[in-house]
Amino acid sequence: MGIFDVYPCYNITIEKAKDMLLWDSEGNEYLDMYGGHAVISVGHSNYHFVNMLKKQIDKIAFYSNSIVIQQQQELAHRLTAISGKEWYNMFLCNSGAEANENAFKLASFHNGKKKIISFSGSFHGRTSLAVAATDDNKITAPVNENSDVVILPYNDIEALEEEFMKGGVTAVIVEAIQGVGGVQVATQRFLEKMRMLCYTYDAVMIADCVQCGCGRTGRYFALDESGVEADIYTMAKGIGFPMGGLLISPKIRAEYGMLGTTFGGSYLACTAALAVIDEIEDRELMKNAGEMGHYLVEEIKALKSDKILEVRGRGLMIGVEFNCDATPIRSRLLSMENIFVGNAKNKRIIRLLPSMTISKETCDKFVKSLKKVL
Ligand code: PLP
């Protein structure tokens, strides 16, 4: 008996963490340039975050959605304000995949259609429709195969228009910056055309901001950079707690029972999400993410390593593409320099998703270590 073995793990036991640093059971110190998989927006064990949660758990940890939960009301207000989507409504669930599942359901309830368009390189989660819309055969079980999902080439405007013309499209789901796909950025024209086609053909535009949301790219949602407005935004990771959420355009009407969850929007999750928003606002962390991200990209480029093909992304969602398999580089960053970074579906890429609290000194330390490892 043991743990169902689905994760290839490093044999490291982390015992405590503070901001961007982690310490293992033997007292070794690590630098977290991966933000615990883009979850840690405001630093590990953030004082305000911990304090708010401690106070909340002393009062009440859980009750069902059959009563008014004041923290949900406050979160709806704060989330729509920080993202500039004041007229949108919020629904809370428990993960990124669940947020996307709910978004698909809402689209289909709204326009009565069935076909979903997603894109090459996409990752939308591991549950039923979310995994069907994900471009990865290896994680799609036969039961998930769904003929109503069409995966088109990312950034291909003609293919998108052709598919719409065939009819039946309920929704298009897009990551404005793909995460698992290797930090690929959608073009302005592609996003604008998608918006226009969704209007024309009465389809719902879903911005999957599970990874590129919550301020990491310097905007609350990465899509905002384009000026294009989605009908639904999904989010999770950067909320900083096991929680998923949707911001939903008022054109999509709610009805009792159309969505639901037991745990979604609990006191603890809402308190955690509110604490993260407090920190992002009080410490201007979106601005820091934009500035430090730019600095980090330029410093990595300045290494002028012949092994580096491209450094791309926005804010603190950065992909470094090498001319070789990056697995040994990632392993050496950890074994020689005690630095965690992420990988991507394409093995030549490493992903940097550090906390939005990162300083110039920490960026410099990382670049120095990368240089040494290369
Ligand atoms: N969407 C994107 C863009 C993601 O990167 C992920 C997770 O990596 C998901 C959805 C799924 O989120 P979760 O693992 O919380 O279900």
Side-chain angles (χ1 to χ4, degrees):
M1 289 283 278
I3 289 171
F4 197 61
D5 194 12
V6 292
Y7 300 117
C9 285
Y10 292 115
N11 192 16
I12 295 173
T13 313
I14 298 298
E15 284 200 333
K16 62 174 187 170
K18 191 73 200 160
D19 196 19
M20 290 198 50
L21 298 179
L22 308 163
W23 289 271
D24 69 13
S25 47
E26 282 152 31
N28 300 307
E29 185 178 290
Y30 299 83
L31 175 64
D32 186 7
M33 290 297 289
Y34 187 42
H37 202 28
V39 167
I40 306 303
S41 304
V42 298
H44 289 279
S45 308
N46 175 285
Y47 179 78
H48 180 61
F49 179 89
V50 172
N51 235 8
M52 292 253 299
L53 278 168
K54 276 184 182 165
K55 279 191 195 149
Q56 183 57 50
I57 206 164
D58 269 344
K59 290 188 209 154
I60 179 171
F62 185 77
Y63 202 78
S64 89
N65 280 307
S66 62
I67 53 154
V68 173
I69 294 177
Q70 182 54 38
Q71 285 85 340
Q72 285 183 9
Q73 315 273 338
E74 195 184 338
L75 184 56
H77 172 67
R78 298 284 303 283
L79 204 48
T80 52
I82 195 174
S83 62
K85 315 277 176 244
E86 283 87 353
W87 54 99
Y88 280 50
N89 295 306
M90 180 192 79
F91 180 77
L92 297 173
C93 51
N94 306 283
S95 69
E98 193 185 346
N100 287 332
E101 291 289 338
N102 282 316
F104 293 138
K105 280 187 81 170
L106 281 182
S108 189
F109 275 133
H110 173 69
N111 57 27
K113 294 186 276 184
K114 281 190 183 173
K115 194 201 290 176
I116 290 166
I117 296 179
S118 68
F119 301 102
S120 56
S122 62
F123 187 91
H124 300 298
R126 291 169 190 274
T127 55
S128 142
L129 262 178
V131 80
T134 288
D135 181 24
D136 191 345
N137 292 337
K138 283 200 229 113
I139 61 168
T140 309
V143 74
N144 303 128
E145 283 162 14
N146 189 316
S147 57
D148 283 323
V149 175
V150 181
I151 299 180
L152 301 176
Y154 194 56
N155 283 331
D156 187 333
I157 292 175
E158 283 78 38
L160 186 61
E161 188 156 26
E162 265 172 39
E163 196 57 51
F164 264 100
M165 282 160 65
K166 293 179 194 162
V169 177
T170 184
V172 183
I173 185 161
V174 66
E175 293 161 84
I177 304 178
Q178 291 184 334
V180 178
V183 192
Q184 305 291 349
V185 182
T187 64
Q188 178 75 21
R189 279 188 59 228
F190 182 58
L191 294 170
E192 282 173 0
K193 186 73 180 183
M194 189 182 302
R195 177 64 277 176
M196 208 268 285
L197 289 166
C198 285
Y199 280 139
T200 311
Y201 291 91
D202 183 28
V204 171
M205 180 169 171
I206 303 168
D208 179 341
C209 298
V210 169
Q211 193 163 146
C212 62
C214 303
R216 166 160 300 284
T217 65
R219 301 268 196 168
Y220 197 76
F221 296 124
L223 180 66
D224 293 340
E225 185 73 18
S226 68
V228 168
E229 196 113 289
D231 300 307
I232 301 179
Y233 296 84
T234 58
M235 67 200 100
K237 294 180 189 296
I239 295 174
F241 201 79
M243 181 190 233
L246 294 86
L247 287 189
I248 305 156
S249 153
K251 81 176 185 195
I252 298 173
R253 306 275 288 275
E255 272 175 40
Y256 287 157
M258 80 200 295
L259 303 179
T261 157
T262 298
F263 286 119
S266 71
Y267 291 101
L268 287 182
C270 290
T271 301
L274 285 167
V276 168
I277 295 176
D278 285 345
E279 286 288 274
I280 291 177
E281 287 182 340
D282 292 352
R283 295 167 64 185
E284 298 191 67
L285 293 181
M286 286 204 271
K287 187 163 166 261
N288 192 58
E291 288 171 1
M292 288 301 107
H294 181 71
Y295 178 71
L296 198 47
V297 166
E298 292 309 312
E299 292 298 300
I300 297 171
K301 283 182 183 166
L303 289 178
K304 295 200 189 315
S305 164
D306 56 5
K307 291 198 177 68
I308 297 178
L309 286 183
E310 195 182 8
V311 190
R312 56 176 180 262
R314 207 182 299 137
L316 294 172
M317 189 166 175
I318 298 168
V320 185
E321 182 160 355
F322 296 88
N323 63 3
C324 54
D325 184 347
T327 313
I329 297 170
R330 189 171 168 239
S331 302
R332 258 180 261 154
L333 274 168
L334 186 58
S335 61
M336 289 166 52
E337 297 295 301
N338 283 13
I339 296 178
F340 283 102
V341 297
N343 60 357
K345 198 175 155 201
N346 178 342
K347 289 196 171 10
R348 290 165 173 252
I349 295 165
I350 62 170
R351 258 187 302 166
L352 305 178
L353 302 158
S355 162
M356 290 156 69
T357 55
I358 195 169
S359 65
K360 228 176 194 175
E361 292 69 42
T362 304
C363 294
D364 291 341
K365 177 179 162 32
F366 171 73
V367 175
K368 205 168 148 203
S369 294
L370 179 63
K371 185 175 178 192
K372 202 162 145 195
V373 161
L374 289 176

